[in-house]
Amino acid sequence: MDFNSLPYSLEFVAGSGCILTLEERTALQTSLVIVKKNYKFQRILFWGKILGLQHDYFVAQGRGEDEMTDRKSLYSLNCVDWLLLPSVTDAMVEEVSKAAQGRFKGNPSFVYEHKVSQQEGKEQEKVARNVTEEKRLAVTVHHIDEEASVVPRGAFIQSLRGLVQTNRSFGGLSESEARRLENFMHFRKPKTLQKKPIPVKAEWAPAIDFLDVLSEDIPKGSWSLQFECARRVCVLRSLLWLGLTFYHVPMTPQHGYIYMGLGMKNLDLPFML
Amino acid sequence: MQRSGRDCGEMQRLDADGTGARQAASFKAFLQKSSSRSDRNLYDHLVLLLAKIMDERPDDAVDVLEDMSLELKRASFKDTQRSLRDHVTPSVGERLAEQQLLLFKHAQDFNHEDPTVETGFPNVNESAFYLEQAGVGLGREEMQRILLALKLLVESHGLPQCRLWGKILGTESSYIIAEAEYTEGDEEQSTDEDLQEEEEEESGTQENETDPVPRSTYLHPPMVPKEALGTGANRFFYFVCNEPGLPWVKLPSVSPAQITAARHICKGFTGRLDSPVLSYPPFPGKEANYLRAQIARISAGTQVSPSGFYQTVEEEGEEEEEMAHDQCLVNPEFEGVSSLEMAQSLSSWVHHIQHILKQGRCTWVNTAMKVEEDSIEEEEAAEKDEQADEPEPEYGPPLLTNLSQDAEMFHTPPWSLRLSSTITPQHAVAVLRSNLWPGAFAYSNGKRFENIYVGWGLKYTGQGYSPCVPPPPQKEYPSGPEVTEMLDPSVEEEEEMRMALEEQQEVQQELEEDEEDEN
């Protein structure tokens, strides 16, 4: 969620249980300003918190000119000192998916060991593929953004050159629109968009409808849409990544999402539904 | 296409120029077409917009064009009077607001109450303050609403004491759960579930006398009896509501069958208490029962207190068997442990709720004795019982065991313990987080402590939940020599048999002849 809206938006997502302590909130207010200045971000967001066994990771994300491609993630253990997360490559994703198991330990230099036996000619060697927890964190943040990030329809516009920016004229979804999952979209490079039949595409506004819609997610029912805080705020919770909460106050431009959880994908989702 | 009077005239004059002019004119007519929703048309709007830009000469006019257009539209007041009146239906938010208003009204009615009398509902705001330091909570306003709702609960049901147990999230709606102690005046309505089971058994044994159909020798495993209200897993009872302000619903007591079934399934909650729980193995009950079973499991696994806060009831005399202590009382001599000490080791925390055994109860019951009463095929059942081994009694860890003895699961320690703040440890609280039930938290600060659960109501399953395998299919008939396949005898074997039979016959004939001769 946007750093500028942090003071009041944390109340909206508190219904999921995890909140930031007062100490963490005040530390964030100060340190994120400095981070924004140092890295020259246009906008800085507090992405969320991943609970580890010994320590928790706080993750922030800075956005540049293009909201979609110009993203950098940072992490911290105490909300004061922030370190840049490595950018994610396909090779890194594969390594992490093989090596990293279990909960996050809380120590960024912890090494997950995974022995792979490779056959070279007639010799069998056991090669250890080691992955640090820092890389695992980067890959997890990337996955959550890919699979569970949410923005309301109309909050971002894509210019003709492909630049994605915040829509300053976004007035918010109406109450009835906010009840329908079709008005919420994933903030990632669209995957299912091109497969839509042409009559459906004709109804779209190309500047706003350039992202994948939440109602296309498989399995159906992996999003829980509720109205909380005395039914004023529309809250979306992901069941695939337990802990991701998105809020939107209808008829206002206030929206944002935050992840506060274990950092593990919920593989039991098909059983839960 | 509408054409104004002006246009027709223009068209006639420019006719000589050909189709280009006609197209321009038709486009202008299109621009002047009024919108169906408001009384504007595009032509007039563009004229006004350009006039405004001419007057104001803003910087970067091309970038702020859309904003100016919107402003212009908003500024011009157009009365949209329609002949139909809007039918206003109260939205969900408005209805809830009216119900929640009652929360605040009650406070005024009871103004004459003596505020020094101890009330049963907890000081939720104080707990919320400490829980916030622990990093868990529901937001200050929500906690305030919950406080008022608990007050309503205590007053309407006349409960001596209640506690906020926590919140379980669901897909359509969530549950806010309050825990109350069982008092002797409460009676539970007898459920009809037991009666229905007996009826089914009776109807299944109608025999066809003419053609005896093979009867199934399957015996239902004996039902483990429910624990009495006020003991074991049914020590407390629970009230739930979807939102503070809505009426509280009491959950039924839990049976061991439900707990064992809940241990084998991984199902989410929908938020409606009467929705069915479709799962394998089949869960005996609806979502209300499933919710109660999960609450019982979570309480047994994660309700902890500082060591020394509770003490066991000392019983004199019956020390022959290991009596599992049922209850523990608040220790009046508890002096409080500093949060620094509490945050250092797990042994300063203890469980104060009884562990649930594998059977599904907190105290073990030998079910083998009761089979004769329940089943109908008495003779067979009695025989089988004598042959079967006596079930071994189950033991669990006694009450008030400390947490350092909790078993590790899936290579993760069962608890994470830390101080809430590293910068100001002098005023920090000790925070305990459960890794087996993600969402269960406890904090301790000197004399105060509190447990709360906010989560999805599911246990941590490590690599992932895998459902249990269905049991192997039962044998239709017992295998005996008359049904087992045997190889047909070969020719040599038949010959041998025939020879042996002939010899036997000869021997018999000789014997008979001998007897005749003798007679």
Side-chain angles (χ1 to χ4, degrees):
Chain A
M1 63 189 39
D2 202 278
F3 161 68
N4 296 321
S5 62
L6 208 58
Y8 57 82
S9 44
L10 280 174
E11 282 282 321
F12 295 141
V13 294
S16 308
C18 277
I19 53 174
L20 291 178
T21 68
L22 201 56
E23 189 187 313
E24 288 160 3
R25 268 185 282 166
T26 37
L28 276 178
Q29 300 258 354
T30 323
S31 59
L32 285 184
V33 172
I34 296 176
V35 163
K36 185 173 167 195
K37 179 193 85 148
N38 287 344
Y39 287 86
K40 299 193 183 41
F41 289 136
Q42 287 245 350
R43 222 162 60 101
I44 189 153
L45 317 174
F46 178 64
W47 185 89
K49 183 168 152 185
I50 291 190
L51 308 173
L53 291 174
Q54 290 149 21
H55 298 281
D56 302 332
Y57 293 106
F58 297 89
V59 180
Q61 207 176 64
R63 301 273 172 94
E65 263 310 314
D66 186 341
E67 297 266 339
M68 185 86 81
T69 50
D70 237 342
R71 282 192 270 193
K72 284 205 182 89
S73 304
L74 304 107
Y75 77 98
S76 159
L77 291 164
N78 53 7
C79 286
V80 178
D81 310 305
W82 293 88
L83 301 149
L84 196 63
L85 277 175
S87 35
V88 174
T89 54
D90 285 335
M92 204 195 287
V93 170
E94 221 188 282
E95 267 179 21
V96 166
S97 63
K98 285 191 187 145
Q101 310 276 351
R103 294 274 307 270
F104 275 88
K105 301 281 183 282
N107 174 12
S109 44
F110 179 83
V111 173
Y112 294 93
E113 291 186 358
H114 174 67
K115 297 242 164 36
V116 173
S117 54
Q118 281 183 344
Q119 234 180 358
E120 292 187 4
K122 287 187 186 172
E123 297 167 353
Q124 269 205 347
E125 281 180 14
K126 285 232 164 176
V127 177
R129 292 243 175 90
N130 295 340
V131 163
T132 58
E133 184 144 290
E134 208 183 30
K135 280 194 190 163
R136 185 185 175 190
L137 183 64
V139 169
T140 309
V141 169
H142 169 80
H143 276 319
I144 294 177
D145 267 340
E146 278 284 309
E147 295 174 14
S149 56
V150 188
V151 292
R153 178 176 179 263
F156 287 89
I157 43 175
Q158 188 179 43
S159 74
L160 292 168
R161 284 179 293 153
L163 209 64
V164 175
Q165 285 173 325
T166 48
N167 182 2
R168 269 175 272 174
S169 316
F170 178 53
L173 300 174
S174 70
E175 283 245 6
S176 53
E177 280 176 355
R179 281 178 205 283
R180 302 184 58 221
L181 220 52
E182 284 90 2
N183 291 314
F184 297 98
M185 302 161 144
H186 281 297
F187 196 64
R188 63 164 190 225
K189 287 246 161 11
K191 291 182 188 154
T192 58
L193 214 61
Q194 299 308 320
K195 298 176 197 160
K196 291 282 181 178
I198 292 190
V200 174
K201 281 200 216 173
E203 306 257 7
W204 291 344
I208 355 181
D209 289 304
F210 61 98
L211 299 167
D212 286 329
V213 167
L214 241 52
S215 46
E216 302 286 319
D217 271 0
I218 296 164
K220 277 206 168 26
S222 55
W223 288 94
S224 142
L225 201 158
Q226 292 174 30
F227 275 77
E228 292 220 339
C229 290
R231 304 269 199 264
R232 281 185 299 114
V233 180
C234 166
V235 170
L236 269 175
R237 289 202 185 97
S238 168
L239 295 172
L240 187 59
W241 289 93
L242 289 177
L244 185 115
T245 320
F246 163 83
Y247 80 93
H248 173 55
V249 185
M251 300 310 283
T252 67
Q254 293 166 25
H255 68 95
Y257 69 87
I258 197 171
Y259 180 82
M260 298 250 221
L262 305 179
M264 292 171 66
K265 197 164 177 172
N266 180 22
L267 297 168
D268 305 331
L269 180 59
F271 297 108
M272 273 172 70
L273 293 175
Chain B
M1 215 166 48
Q2 293 171 354
R3 293 182 192 216
S4 63
R6 263 184 301 159
D7 263 345
C8 283
E10 271 184 319
M11 235 185 75
Q12 283 163 6
R13 267 180 276 134
L14 300 164
D15 219 12
D17 294 6
T19 52
R22 210 174 299 146
Q23 275 179 6
S26 68
F27 185 62
K28 190 171 172 193
F30 171 73
L31 286 179
Q32 285 180 321
K33 188 166 130 179
S34 7
S35 142
S36 53
R37 271 184 283 177
S38 53
D39 243 339
R40 293 186 280 259
N41 65 42
L42 189 54
Y43 188 82
D44 292 333
H45 181 71
L46 282 173
V47 163
L48 284 171
L49 184 61
L50 288 172
K52 182 171 173 163
I53 293 178
M54 249 195 317
D55 289 332
E56 291 177 15
R57 306 278 171 139
D59 299 325
D60 294 329
V62 64
D63 293 326
V64 298
L65 184 69
E66 287 86 9
D67 293 329
M68 292 191 74
S69 168
L70 263 178
E71 229 181 276
L72 205 62
K73 281 189 188 165
R74 268 190 241 128
S76 65
F77 174 66
K78 294 282 177 187
D79 196 8
T80 50
Q81 257 192 356
R82 281 170 277 177
S83 50
L84 299 167
R85 257 185 294 166
D86 284 329
H87 176 58
V88 177
T89 44
S91 69
V92 184
E94 286 161 11
R95 265 181 274 147
L96 181 67
E98 278 167 29
Q99 277 173 311
Q100 287 188 336
L101 202 59
L102 293 171
L103 285 176
F104 301 97
K105 281 219 171 123
H106 254 260
Q108 293 165 13
D109 288 346
F110 285 80
N111 240 345
H112 54 275
E113 223 178 50
D114 188 9
T116 52
V117 170
E118 259 190 45
T119 43
F121 62 94
N123 191 348
V124 171
N125 282 331
E126 197 178 337
S127 311
F129 168 72
Y130 287 109
L131 286 169
E132 194 191 328
Q133 295 192 21
V136 65
L138 295 173
R140 295 178 69 190
E141 288 160 3
E142 191 74 8
M143 284 296 206
Q144 175 65 20
R145 281 191 279 262
I146 291 175
L147 169 69
L148 294 172
L150 284 176
K151 178 164 182 274
L152 259 186
L153 173 69
V154 161
E155 282 162 6
S156 58
H157 288 252
L159 302 169
Q161 236 197 18
C162 79
R163 181 177 89 86
L164 173 66
W165 185 88
K167 179 173 176 182
I168 288 190
L169 304 167
T171 46
E172 290 170 32
S173 187
S174 307
Y175 295 113
I176 296 178
I177 299 157
E179 178 186 84
E181 283 245 6
Y182 169 71
T183 50
E184 288 184 5
D186 296 307
E187 277 175 15
E188 181 160 297
Q189 296 162 358
S190 58
T191 48
D192 294 328
E193 290 170 15
D194 296 340
L195 295 171
Q196 276 177 10
E197 277 185 39
E198 284 179 28
E199 284 173 23
E200 283 173 28
E201 282 184 42
E202 286 172 19
S203 62
T205 52
Q206 285 170 9
E207 289 179 31
N208 241 343
E209 291 298 346
T210 48
D211 223 344
V213 176
R215 276 216 306 238
S216 149
T217 50
Y218 173 69
L219 285 172
H220 218 61
M223 219 179 64
V224 182
K226 251 195 215 186
E227 289 180 283
L229 296 176
T231 61
N234 282 324
R235 182 154 163 224
F236 299 101
F237 54 81
Y238 296 91
F239 289 89
V240 295
C241 73
N242 287 113
E243 286 262 356
L246 296 178
W248 292 90
V249 177
K250 185 169 167 185
L251 285 180
S253 58
V254 68
S255 76
Q258 288 166 355
I259 291 189
T260 12
R263 278 179 166 150
H264 290 127
I265 64 175
C266 177
K267 211 66 175 119
F269 293 94
T270 57
R272 283 170 289 123
L273 284 173
D274 54 354
S275 60
V277 179
L278 304 167
S279 62
Y280 181 75
F283 185 80
K286 302 239 167 182
E287 185 157 308
N289 305 94
Y290 179 47
L291 179 64
R292 180 67 182 82
Q294 289 292 85
I295 293 175
R297 289 174 70 202
I298 294 173
S299 290
T302 62
Q303 301 276 323
V304 293
S305 57
S307 157
F309 191 87
Y310 286 110
Q311 64 187 13
T312 49
V313 177
E314 287 185 3
E315 293 180 18
E316 296 177 6
E318 303 172 21
E319 291 298 331
E320 292 170 359
E321 301 172 9
E322 270 186 29
M323 289 285 288
H325 291 290
D326 222 57
Q327 317 259 347
C328 47
L329 303 172
V330 179
N331 182 358
E333 293 156 22
F334 180 63
E335 284 170 358
V337 189
S338 76
S339 33
L340 289 167
E341 254 181 68
M342 296 295 298
Q344 265 162 19
S345 82
L346 281 176
S347 47
S348 35
W349 297 82
V350 295
H351 287 282
H352 62 261
I353 298 280
Q354 266 183 313
H355 174 78
I356 298 184
L357 301 168
K358 204 166 152 199
Q359 207 182 31
R361 295 173 48 111
C362 293
T363 45
W364 186 74
V365 153
N366 190 349
T367 48
M369 309 304 291
K370 297 208 174 176
V371 176
E372 287 181 28
E373 296 169 20
D374 287 353
S375 76
I376 289 156
E377 297 112 80
E378 287 181 15
E379 294 170 8
E380 294 177 27
E383 282 175 18
K384 286 209 172 153
D385 270 340
E386 285 165 14
Q387 292 166 13
D389 295 320
E390 282 270 323
E392 286 183 18
E394 296 168 16
Y395 293 109
L399 203 54
L400 301 183
T401 39
N402 66 45
L403 299 196
S404 50
Q405 303 192 357
D406 276 4
E408 195 182 274
M409 281 180 85
F410 308 113
H411 305 289
T412 47
W415 298 94
S416 291
L417 183 59
R418 69 181 81 166
L419 267 182
S420 64
S421 151
T422 44
I423 301 182
T424 52
Q426 299 88 348
H427 298 295
V429 301
V431 176
L432 187 64
R433 240 188 248 170
S434 170
N435 294 327
L436 286 182
W437 292 98
F441 293 86
Y443 82 86
S444 157
N445 178 22
K447 283 205 166 186
R448 283 188 61 93
F449 80 97
E450 186 84 30
N451 292 286
I452 197 170
Y453 179 85
V454 182
W456 293 87
L458 298 169
K459 197 167 185 178
Y460 176 63
T461 51
Q463 291 301 332
Y465 160 77
S466 45
C468 39
V469 180
Q474 296 167 343
K475 287 194 183 297
E476 288 173 3
Y477 40 78
S479 56
E482 58 267 8
V483 274
T484 35
E485 254 189 55
M486 286 192 293
L487 290 171
D488 283 339
S490 62
V491 184
E492 292 88 7
E493 286 176 15
E494 277 193 18
E495 278 291 317
E496 282 179 39
M497 281 275 288
R498 206 167 49 81
M499 300 285 282
L501 264 176
E502 278 179 11
E503 279 178 38
Q504 258 194 348
Q505 279 175 359
E506 280 171 26
V507 167
Q508 267 194 341
Q509 275 176 4
E510 279 176 29
L511 279 175
E512 282 170 17
E513 278 169 18
D514 284 344
E515 279 178 20
E516 281 179 14
D517 282 344
E518 281 175 21
N519 292 345

